[in-house]
Amino acid sequence: MRKTLFLLFLLLQVMLSYGQKREFRGAWIQCVNGQFNGLTPDEMRSTLTKQLDVLHADGVNAIIFQVRAECDALYASKYEPWSRFLTGVQGKAPNPYWDPLQWMIEQCHKRGMELHAWINPYRAKTKTTTALASNHIAITHPERVFTYDGQYILNPALKENRDYICKIVDDIVSRYDVDGIHMDDYFYPYPAPGQIIPDQQLYANNPGGFRTIGDWRRDKVNVFVKQLCETIHQRKPWVKFGVSPFGIYRNKKSDPMNGSETNGLQNYDDLYADVLLWVNNGWVDYCVPQLYWQIGHPAADYATLIRWWDKHAANRPLFIGEDVERTVKYPSQTNPNSNQMPDKHALHEQMHHVDGTVLWYAKLVADNYGNYGNVLRNAYWRNSALPPSMPFLDDKSPKKPRKVKPVWTSDGYILFWSAPKAKKWGDKTSRYVVYRFGKDEKVNIEDASHIIAITGDTMYRLPYNHGKEKFTYVVTALDRVGNESKGKKVKIKL
């Protein structure tokens, strides 16, 4: 027993000294907040470039970019109109022409980051949209849409809508080199006082054996989620499918066995989203519950909820959606001179199944709101991290890079290498990891503190200093899912 405890203690010390080598560190970049309104293409690219540069330096390794907010597109689509959140007028193409999704993929991959395309599946019109393009689904097929609280919603009960959304996603996945497809918490609409979802007659006409309309609605969403997962993986098995549900699954008063000690809106009962079913059946590849509340919130305590999700949603990688503004706004419950960032980080470290964080939202981090970005950069995310493993997608590592060699060029001393040979999609390399070790340091690529670059390039510029010091560089290959190869070493005098 003592020996076991001693080994566990040593393992803990090793983990603390190295930091987490695998962790999803995401940030949402949304369009519906109007941050791109009135910007020219050059100005929007400049804004996004600045955000990506800062986020990358802060340790972010994945961007979740909103590309379909209301059955529209921030990319070139033959099915849906250009978004008004991009050009100001729905259906109007950007001028000068550019494709934001394609550009973002290139920019993220250049920085060694993943790009997940974020869609809102059912929402067809937000409250503030006043005009729809002639090819918008609510114009071409008004019978497939219902109105609710100033919004238009694609009726989830209709098979043609499920097929339509899957067609849209299949188009994105087939034409763009995305790393993931991401959905947020908009399934059936959030309840609004005095509003009724107009589907009672549809249920009465075909209840499908379900005794309540709630069970019937949940089944319609379940069927869609499973179908979308299959659509994505049939097209490209490596593309990750993630969902970001509202932070409460069910309250204990609704479900004494599985509910949380909370008192708020519920995924299962109010949005008809049975998230745990999707996780437990493997219909999603990762789950990001939006735990946007503070520790100590009277109705939805953050500490209660992170423990609940850690216990109940472990069948797929679990990341936590963090609200940056609330985290820095509220004081620590143990140290009134601090905000809640250290407390939440400590809770993450205590969880057994939490594999990462997604930040709401990217601009706040890029603007260093409440010093949040600086703390990530200098403390929690100081060392780079690889994405969490997803063996259910692929568990085979690629071969290691070939021909790793430093070369003098007119641009300086550069380390070059070649991609390993690959026959199947699971063997193909998407990025590389570069490690550096000093003369007397043991080469150990499990130590994340030695990662100096994660890049899509097959080269790395070396910091030459008249050949005064010896270093060992190690280059590994990552496949599309994130499996890492063995390392190829080279010793260099710099």
Side-chain angles (χ1 to χ4, degrees), residues 137 141 143-144 154-167 227:
I137 188 70
H141 287 283
E143 76 282 1
R144 287 161 50 180
L154 287 179
N155 193 331
L158 300 178
K159 181 181 182 300
E160 49 266 48
N161 283 339
R162 297 195 294 272
D163 292 344
Y164 174 73
I165 300 166
C166 288
K167 179 177 74 172
Q227 181 180 345

Side-chain angles (χ1 to χ4, degrees), residues 461-479:
R461 192 179 302 277
L462 296 166
Y464 186 71
N465 186 26
H466 306 292
K468 294 179 179 179
E469 205 170 343
K470 287 184 179 180
F471 293 94
T472 299
Y473 279 77
V474 180
V475 184
T476 64
L478 296 178
D479 66 18

Side-chain angles (χ1 to χ4, degrees), residues 252-265:
K252 191 170 279 291
K253 66 181 181 183
S254 300
D255 185 346
M257 284 190 62
N258 296 311
S260 53
E261 291 282 2
T262 50
N263 185 28
L265 182 131

Side-chain angles (χ1 to χ4, degrees), residues 32-89:
V32 290
N33 66 339
Q35 66 173 313
F36 308 129
N37 288 357
L39 299 184
T40 66
D42 280 343
E43 290 169 339
M44 183 172 168
R45 286 191 291 267
S46 176
T47 297
L48 287 169
T49 296
K50 290 174 183 175
Q51 288 189 19
L52 291 176
D53 284 344
V54 175
L55 292 167
H56 180 247
D58 288 343
V60 170
N61 61 16
I63 296 296
I64 299 175
F65 182 55
Q66 190 174 29
V67 300
R68 184 181 185 266
E70 48 180 6
C71 294
D72 56 2
L74 267 77
Y75 63 95
S77 172
K78 63 183 179 181
Y79 301 113
E80 297 189 313
W82 286 100
S83 174
R84 75 171 180 89
F85 297 111
L86 175 65
T87 65
V89 178

Side-chain angles (χ1 to χ4, degrees), residues 410-452:
S410 57
D411 290 330
Y413 205 17
I414 298 176
L415 185 64
F416 288 99
W417 58 86
S418 299
K421 294 180 180 180
K423 294 181 179 179
K424 302 176 182 178
W425 72 262
D427 302 326
K428 291 182 179 178
T429 298
S430 65
R431 289 171 293 169
Y432 302 91
V433 188
V434 182
Y435 301 81
R436 185 168 87 157
F437 300 88
K439 181 181 176 181
D440 298 320
E441 291 179 318
K442 183 180 179 181
V443 174
N444 179 7
I445 63 172
E446 293 307 310
D447 184 346
S449 69
H450 288 276
I451 297 175
I452 56 172

Side-chain angles (χ1 to χ4, degrees), residues 302-331:
Y302 178 95
T304 297
L305 283 165
I306 192 173
R307 292 187 179 105
W308 186 92
W309 285 97
D310 185 68
K311 178 180 178 181
H312 289 86
N315 198 46
R316 281 292 182 262
L318 173 63
F319 318 139
I320 301 299
E322 299 276 355
D323 185 294
V324 172
E325 184 174 5
R326 289 194 191 183
T327 298
V328 301
K329 175 182 176 181
Y330 287 93

